[in-house]
Amino acid sequence: AVCSMGNSTSRLYSVLTKTLSSGAVSQHQDCLEQLDSAPLDPIDPKDLLEECQIVLQKRPPRFQRNFVNLKKNTASNHRPIRVMQWNILAQALGEGKDNFVQCPMEALKWEERKCLILEEILAYKPDILCLQEVDHYFDTFEPLLSRLGYQCTFFPKPWSPCLDVEHNNGPDGCAMFFLKERFELISSANIRLTAMKLKTNQVAIAQTLKCHETGRLFCIAVTHLKARTGWERFRSAQGCDLLQNLKNITQGAKIPLIVCGDFNAEPTEEVYREFSNSSLNLNSAYKLLSPDGQTEPPYTTWKIRPSGECRHTLDYIWYSQHALNVNSALGLLTEEQIGPNRLPSFNYPSDHLSLVCDFSFNQDPDRLL
C-alpha cells in the first residue's frame, strides 16, 4: 500500500494508517527502492490534513497558538521565510527509554502520534522545517513531505540510542526539509560534530539555499547536541565545532545564517554564550518575545520522568541579526494548556514545543556587522 500511494483520499488514508511501522528499514528495501526510483504524485496538503484529523477524531483538538508580531517599521518587499524547529521525540525513545510516567502508552501509539506531528507541520506551513529525533524518516516523513513539495535531507546519529530499543525503526537523527518552489539548493554539508578532537554521536546538517524571489543566499542549519547534566563542557566543545564549520560555510558571516536546534542547554550554559558572542553575530529569535527582548522563554520542554518534573529551555532558533529580521514568532503553550501531566500527551505528540519564526532579509545587505 505504501509503495503505490496515489491522489485519492482512500489512498492517502492508507499512507497514514499503513506506513512502515516498527520493522527495520532493511526489511522494506524493495519498497524504498521503488520510492527512490519513481517520483510519487503530489499531495494536496488540505487532503492530508483532513486525513490526519480523521485518524485523530477521538483525540482532543490541537492547541491554539498565536503568532506574535515582532516586525519593526522596516518595509519588506518579499514574502517572509517561515522556519520551524522541532524535536519531535523519536518513537523508539518515547515508547522505550524516555519513561514519561504521566503519559499513557496509548497516547504514544505511532499510528496516531505521527498524525499529530503532521497536523502541527501542516497547520504552520513552514518553508523550511528542521527536526530532531527523527526515526521514521524513510517510511513517513520523506515519502509524505517530498510529495508536499519539500526537498528532504536526513543525517542519522552514528550510534543512535533507538537501536537499543526492541522493535526499533532504525537510528534517529536530524532532518531538514525546504520547499523547492521557494529555494534552490546551492550546497549541503552533513557534519558529525567533534568534541575534544573526538568524533561524537551528535550531528548537524547545513545547507546554503538561494531564495528564488530575492536571489539572496542564506545558510540554514539543524543540530541536536549531547543531552544530560554533567556534559556541559562536551556540549560547549560541540558548539565550538559547529560554529567553526558554519563560519567556513558562510564565509565568515558574509552569507546570512539561521541555526535551529535542540541544544540540550539552558541559557546559563557556556554553549549558549558561545553562540551569543560568536563573530557570526547571532541572536536568539525567541528572546524577542520577552518584554525586554533579552530573555529566553521559561521553557521549551516540560515532562515528568521517574526522577521528577523537568521544565527547561533547550530549543533555539539563532539568526544573523545584521542580515535578517524576525517578523513574528509563534507563542508557546501556556502551563494551563500543557496540563498537569505535562508532555507528551493525547493533545501534543512531543516532549518539546515546536518553535516557528517568520524571517525577512534586511533591506541593506551591505550593512556592516
Side-chain angles (χ1 to χ4, degrees):
V2 180
C3 294
S4 57
M5 294 184 285
N7 274 330
S8 73
T9 302
S10 61
R11 287 184 183 178
L12 278 178
Y13 185 78
S14 176
V15 175
L16 291 169
T17 56
K18 297 182 181 178
T19 53
L20 314 179
S21 54
S22 59
V25 168
S26 60
Q27 293 174 4
H28 309 279
Q29 198 59 43
D30 291 344
C31 186
L32 292 177
E33 286 170 2
Q34 185 176 338
L35 288 176
D36 287 339
S37 61
L40 295 163
D41 294 335
I43 298 174
D44 186 327
K46 291 180 181 176
D47 289 343
L48 184 57
L49 181 58
E50 187 178 310
E51 294 306 324
C52 287
Q53 290 167 345
I54 290 171
V55 175
L56 297 170
Q57 57 189 335
K58 293 183 180 178
R59 291 208 179 201
R62 201 174 59 82
F63 292 122
Q64 178 64 40
R65 296 169 66 185
N66 297 316
F67 280 90
V68 178
N69 185 13
L70 302 167
K71 194 171 181 179
K72 299 171 185 173
N73 292 324
T74 54
S76 175
N77 56 9
H78 68 87
R79 284 183 296 160
I81 296 169
R82 177 161 291 182
V83 176
M84 184 173 186
Q85 146 62 29
W86 199 11
N87 178 331
I88 60 171
L89 174 61
Q91 184 63 21
L93 300 183
E95 288 188 309
K97 285 192 160 192
D98 277 347
N99 207 354
F100 302 114
V101 293
Q102 296 292 96
C103 178
M105 285 302 291
E106 186 76 8
L108 296 171
K109 284 171 52 179
W110 180 241
E111 289 73 18
E112 295 180 9
R113 198 172 78 86
K114 71 184 172 193
C115 291
L116 274 179
I117 295 170
L118 290 166
E119 186 183 44
E120 182 101 342
I121 295 167
L122 290 163
Y124 300 124
K125 303 173 186 167
D127 299 304
I128 302 171
L129 173 62
C130 295
L131 302 180
Q132 299 86 35
E133 290 200 23
V134 179
D135 62 347
H136 276 270
Y137 176 81
F138 293 105
D139 61 42
T140 301
F141 294 104
E142 194 278 337
L144 289 173
L145 291 175
S146 65
R147 295 179 66 191
L148 292 170
Y150 289 92
Q151 184 155 327
C152 313
T153 305
F154 176 61
F155 191 24
K157 294 175 184 172
W159 312 299
S160 167
C162 293
L163 299 177
D164 297 333
V165 179
E166 192 176 2
H167 305 305
N168 67 75
N169 198 60
D172 77 302
C174 290
M176 186 183 292
F177 310 84
F178 68 83
L179 285 178
K180 290 184 284 186
E181 69 171 18
R182 292 214 64 186
F183 311 108
E184 175 190 349
L185 179 64
I186 303 301
S187 66
S188 184
N190 288 352
I191 303 164
R192 184 172 169 190
L193 297 175
T194 298
M196 294 89 169
K197 298 184 179 179
L198 298 172
K199 293 285 187 182
T200 72
N201 193 34
Q202 280 65 47
V203 300
I205 302 168
Q207 297 189 331
T208 301
L209 305 180
K210 182 178 181 179
C211 176
H212 290 316
E213 191 175 336
T214 64
R216 299 278 294 272
L217 294 179
F218 67 100
C219 177
I220 178 81
V222 57
T223 195
H224 188 187
L225 302 188
K226 173 67 181 170
R228 295 196 168 83
T229 304
W231 292 86
E232 291 81 5
R233 287 184 62 198
F234 198 82
R235 281 191 287 273
S236 174
Q238 289 182 328
C240 285
D241 183 50
L242 178 57
L243 284 168
Q244 187 56 54
N245 275 280
L246 294 174
K247 284 174 190 175
N248 295 336
I249 292 168
T250 62
Q251 303 166 30
K254 287 183 182 176
I255 299 172
L257 173 65
I258 299 171
V259 185
C260 295
D262 174 358
F263 280 63
N264 275 308
E266 290 273 11
T268 51
E269 272 200 36
E270 181 64 31
V271 68
Y272 182 93
R273 290 192 291 274
E274 286 161 0
F275 270 73
S276 294
N277 301 325
S278 164
S279 62
L280 292 172
N281 197 23
L282 299 173
N283 192 23
S284 174
Y286 264 72
K287 287 195 328 188
L288 302 179
L289 288 179
S290 65
D292 62 359
Q294 300 296 317
T295 309
E296 292 288 354
Y299 51 83
T300 62
T301 178
W302 201 340
K303 55 202 150 197
I304 301 174
R305 285 177 166 151
S307 56
E309 192 163 341
C310 310
R311 191 185 87 151
H312 299 293
T313 300
L314 307 178
D315 307 271
Y316 306 95
I317 300 178
W318 298 91
Y319 70 102
S320 298
Q321 55 187 334
H322 64 283
L324 297 166
N325 300 311
V326 184
N327 295 2
S328 61
L330 183 65
L332 299 173
L333 294 179
T334 65
E335 180 176 359
E336 183 180 16
Q337 286 175 311
I338 290 172
N341 294 333
R342 309 315 183 197
L343 305 173
S345 66
F346 282 108
N347 301 72
Y348 197 79
S350 176
D351 54 327
H352 289 252
L353 300 178
S354 63
L355 308 182
V356 186
C357 289
D358 289 337
F359 291 97
S360 60
F361 290 107
N362 190 307
Q363 295 306 297
D364 183 8
D366 298 321
R367 179 178 160 194
L368 294 176
L369 301 187

